[in-house]
Amino acid sequence: MFRSIPLKYVLPLLGLTVSAFIFNTSEFMPIGLLIDISQSFSMTESQTGIMITVYAWVVALLSLPLMLLVCRMELRRLLLLTMGLFSLGQLLSGIALNFPMLMAARICVACAHSIFWSIAAPMATRLVTRTHRPMALSMIVTGSAVAMIFGLPLGRVIGLYAGWRMTFLAITVVSLAVLLYLAFVFPRLASDSSFSRDDLPKLLKNPLVVSVYVLSVLFATAYFTVYSYIEPFLKNVAAFSDQGITSTLMLLGVSGLLGSYLFSHFYNQFRYGVIRAGFVGLVAMLLLWQSAAAGKGTMVAACLLIGCASTLFNVTFQAELIRHVSMGAAPVAMSIFSGIFNVGIGGGTWIGGRVTAHGLLPYIGYAGAVIGLTALVYCFVVYFHFLRKSLKKDEEIS
């Protein structure tokens, strides 16, 4: 896989992959520790869940402004500063004395998140040739998937045995080590961005770009309506043990690797099929979510399939977005994608919280399925229409 890529670019790609692992571990860690954090501050799970919502909405609000502010900065320097800010936020989370202090620390991490996920995919694609871009993107997503396999469950195990604070402190140590690694191996990359605020209207007039954003918010809302409350669902509805929950979350992460594999091997040849698979897989599993809870095996299978669908969507539509914009506009376009996706995360967490607060946790899958069906119809009717129209235009020009 790496034979035709110089080692000096493989090493920074690996650094970005590990960074993606750390960022995703940190973002979703509170999901696996929701019960413990709630008990620590004498709060309910739905009250503590607002931390996930606020984090997501801060990312949504700040992704574009922060990226416009720093888009002309040399990318290596920007990456290192982002990792430094992330490490600081993790440290403050680990020593938080009360819930407001924890929220403030998470907002600090959210600012670093806003920048990292705006630049990660564009940087990865710039390190390789066009032929290897799907591979480079799949590596970033693999880092995210491995976070679900080992990061989130490991964070949960550390939290169960040493306290949730130790989980954040462990992430602090790892992130500082990655910061030092990137300082040694990552090459200087000029921002290559002539993008300015005046170019935003042109970007947002592109119907394909706008459609990607609409689909991202709908998909994220549907998925995180269920995923944000997967721990209490597995415990209280599916009757899983604590170890069973940890193992299931790990297997869900394994399914992310499968989604990354499917993308890297089939996206170039079967683009439409890969896009369809993400939406169909999501909606089908959400509709079957309550029924799957009747048995341990069916519940694990549902988690595997929905995790695969989520990863497949995420990497596929990052690739779709990069296809539809210039390289100079890619970081800003990705910052909007990250922000809008996090609107969906926050919205899904809020909807899931309301469903849970009203005692309807067993039916949470149906709430997500309604939104997922909307996304599926929009993709098949609107996005594919604009995509075919664009491809036909390109053929006529060539």
Side-chain angles (χ1 to χ4, degrees), residues 183-199:
F184 279 102
V185 305
F186 208 89
R188 291 181 61 85
L189 288 175
S191 68
D192 191 31
S193 178
S194 57
F195 197 90
S196 68
R197 283 172 291 183
D198 296 334
D199 297 315

Side-chain angles (χ1 to χ4, degrees), residues 24 28 141 144-145 148 215-216 219-224 227 252-253 255-260 262-263 274-283 285-286 302-318 337 341 345:
N24 256 35
F28 300 122
V141 175
S144 301
M148 302 299 184
L215 289 170
S216 69
F219 191 101
T221 302
Y223 180 74
F224 283 93
Y227 183 74
L252 193 150
S255 70
L257 288 179
L258 176 59
S260 177
L262 292 174
F263 167 80
V274 169
I275 293 172
R276 290 188 184 99
F279 287 102
V280 173
L282 173 77
V283 173
M285 289 307 100
L286 290 178
C303 289
L304 287 171
L305 290 172
I306 201 171
C308 180
S310 173
T311 302
L312 195 58
F313 169 86
N314 204 317
V315 65
T316 297
F317 275 87
Q318 287 187 56
F337 178 89
F341 194 86
I345 294 176

Side-chain angles (χ1 to χ4, degrees), residues 6-17 127 181-182 185-187:
L7 183 62
K8 65 178 181 178
Y9 296 129
V10 171
L11 293 178
L13 271 176
L14 291 173
L16 285 177
T17 300
L127 289 170
Y181 173 83
L182 289 171
V185 305
F186 208 89

Side-chain angles (χ1 to χ4, degrees), residues 87-97 101-102 104-105 108 169 172:
S87 301
L88 176 62
Q90 296 302 327
L91 176 63
L92 294 176
S93 298
I95 62 175
L97 301 177
M101 183 176 175
L102 178 60
C108 178
L169 294 176
T172 304

Side-chain angles (χ1 to χ4, degrees), residues 95-263:
I95 62 175
L97 301 177
N98 49 49
F99 190 70
M101 183 176 175
L102 178 60
M103 282 291 300
R106 294 296 292 169
I107 289 172
C108 178
V109 176
C111 290
H113 176 115
S114 301
I115 298 172
F116 178 80
W117 286 112
S118 298
I119 62 177
M123 282 194 300
T125 56
R126 284 189 59 186
L127 289 170
V128 297
T129 63
R130 186 178 184 86
T131 304
H132 290 97
R133 283 179 186 174
M135 182 275 294
L137 285 172
S138 70
M139 284 186 65
I140 302 299
V141 175
T142 296
S144 301
V146 173
M148 302 299 184
I149 302 171
F150 297 113
L152 194 154
L154 181 60
R156 175 178 162 78
V157 169
I158 294 172
L160 288 175
Y161 290 99
W164 61 266
R165 297 176 188 279
M166 189 57 65
T167 304
F168 287 106
L169 294 176
I171 290 291
T172 304
V173 173
V174 175
S175 63
L176 286 173
V178 174
L179 173 60
L180 291 174
Y181 173 83
L182 289 171
F184 279 102
V185 305
F186 208 89
R188 291 181 61 85
L189 288 175
S191 68
D192 191 31
S193 178
S194 57
F195 197 90
S196 68
R197 283 172 291 183
D198 296 334
D199 297 315
L200 273 175
K202 181 180 178 181
L203 180 67
L204 296 177
K205 286 179 181 178
N206 185 331
L208 284 167
V209 171
V210 172
S211 294
V212 169
Y213 293 154
V214 171
L215 289 170
S216 69
V217 72
L218 289 174
F219 191 101
T221 302
Y223 180 74
F224 283 93
T225 293
V226 171
Y227 183 74
S228 294
Y229 292 88
I230 192 170
E231 186 193 22
F233 184 90
L234 292 176
K235 187 178 184 67
N236 300 322
V237 181
F240 277 41
S241 65
D242 286 340
Q243 288 183 338
I245 294 172
T246 302
S247 299
T248 302
L249 291 176
M250 187 176 294
L251 288 173
L252 193 150
V254 171
S255 70
L257 288 179
L258 176 59
S260 177
Y261 174 86
L262 292 174
F263 167 80

Side-chain angles (χ1 to χ4, degrees), residues 342-362:
N342 276 273
V343 169
I345 294 176
T349 304
W350 184 85
I351 293 170
R354 302 289 70 74
V355 172
T356 302
H358 285 84
L360 300 173
L361 182 61

